[in-house]
Amino acid sequence: MTTSQHDTYADPTLHQPAPAVPGCVAIIMDGNGRWARAHGRPVADGHREGTRALRRTVEAAIDVGISSLVVYAFSTENWARPPHEVATLMEILSETIDRELPDLARQGVRTRFIGRRDRVPDWLREKMDELEQATAGLGTLELWIAFDYGGRTELVDAARRLIADGVAPDAVDEAAVAARLYAPDLPEVDLLVRTSGELRISNFLLWEAAYAELVFTETLWPDFDEDDLRQAIDEYARRGRRFGAR
Ligand code: IPE
Ligand code: IPE
Ligand code: MG
């Protein structure tokens, strides 16, 4: 006997819900320092190990079928860290652009950066620009790396652009603001994951994640892998999203 779709829905034991994969996933990649401490290694090693987790996660995101992945790599507040750590984080981004991202480009990953561009060193900004240009035609996965990013600064910058564009107060609406964010084509975040057990947003995607489902995991970022991503997505799939409606 064949089972019609109707029968499948009628019998909960047969019902296989369609896989609910979030289109846009954002990750606050936290816990590198604690990982380093736990392994008796310098903090820089934690950050370097974190780039390997990023590589794994990008590949997992492709496998899972996510279309946009946004990762928080350096916040506007992270400049407050010791100068040596800040310098190391700049170097690590540069190394990652050289080592990991060309490979990912071969897999079709389009990489873009969101955040301020005026404070990173010139040599790094040039690399960031080059990578964006080199991967501009790709589309298996959209990867957005938030670097010198802060949600409040993004909104302040958008307000400045509204004024610079001469937009009249009456014409300022959500679309007008959204069009002036760092990346107007960055979709709304469906799922926001933070690693390392911290329960806060830390100034990430304040506008874009307004209705994101939040998932927090104890896993330290350098240990994050495909299983952790799948668990977060499973958790997301169990959520009821109402967007304020009934
Ligand atoms: C996240 O790891 C990376 C950055 C913020 C750049 P942390 O360095 O914040 O790690 P913890 O929170 O100290 O463990
Ligand atoms: C948030 O982590 C920023 C990044 C992951 C890049 P932090 O470790 O800087 O955040 P706080 O200080 O714990 O809020
Ligand atoms: Mg931290």
Side-chain angles (χ1 to χ4, degrees), residues 158-167 180:
R160 287 191 176 148
R161 287 194 195 118
L162 285 167
I163 294 165
D165 291 346
V167 181
R180 290 166 178 84

Side-chain angles (χ1 to χ4, degrees), residues 28-34 78 81 194 196 198 200 202:
I28 301 176
M29 309 185 291
D30 198 15
N32 296 351
R34 277 161 285 167
N78 287 148
R81 295 193 177 195
R194 183 171 189 147
S196 84
E198 303 291 354
R200 58 180 168 270
S202 299

Side-chain angles (χ1 to χ4, degrees), residues 74-211:
F74 189 85
S75 75
T76 48
E77 288 70 37
N78 287 148
W79 293 102
R81 295 193 177 195
H84 179 71
E85 184 177 354
V86 170
T88 302
L89 285 163
M90 303 288 153
E91 277 165 30
I92 288 174
L93 176 62
S94 166
E95 288 168 16
T96 306
I97 291 175
D98 291 340
R99 192 192 61 224
E100 306 285 1
L101 298 172
D103 240 19
L104 293 172
R106 278 190 280 282
Q107 294 178 50
V109 178
R110 177 178 190 184
T111 304
R112 280 175 277 182
F113 294 91
I114 53 170
R116 288 182 60 163
R117 295 282 172 110
D118 57 319
R119 300 194 290 189
V120 293
D122 291 346
W123 57 270
L124 183 55
R125 187 172 44 250
E126 281 162 21
K127 274 196 174 181
M128 292 159 79
D129 293 344
E130 271 171 32
L131 180 68
E132 287 184 334
Q133 284 157 22
T135 64
L138 306 175
T140 307
L141 175 78
E142 309 264 0
L143 173 65
W144 311 82
I145 300 179
F147 200 87
D148 198 6
Y149 175 89
R152 287 182 176 174
T153 300
E154 179 173 36
L155 293 174
V156 168
D157 284 350
R160 287 191 176 148
R161 287 194 195 118
L162 285 167
I163 294 165
D165 291 346
V167 181
D170 284 355
V172 177
D173 56 12
E174 292 190 8
V177 175
R180 290 166 178 84
L181 299 175
Y182 291 129
D185 50 343
L186 195 159
E188 292 231 0
V189 176
D190 297 305
L191 167 62
L192 174 60
V193 178
R194 183 171 189 147
T195 59
S196 84
E198 303 291 354
L199 307 180
R200 58 180 168 270
I201 301 296
S202 299
N203 202 13
F204 194 36
L205 302 176
L206 297 181
W207 179 281
E208 299 86 340
Y211 257 106

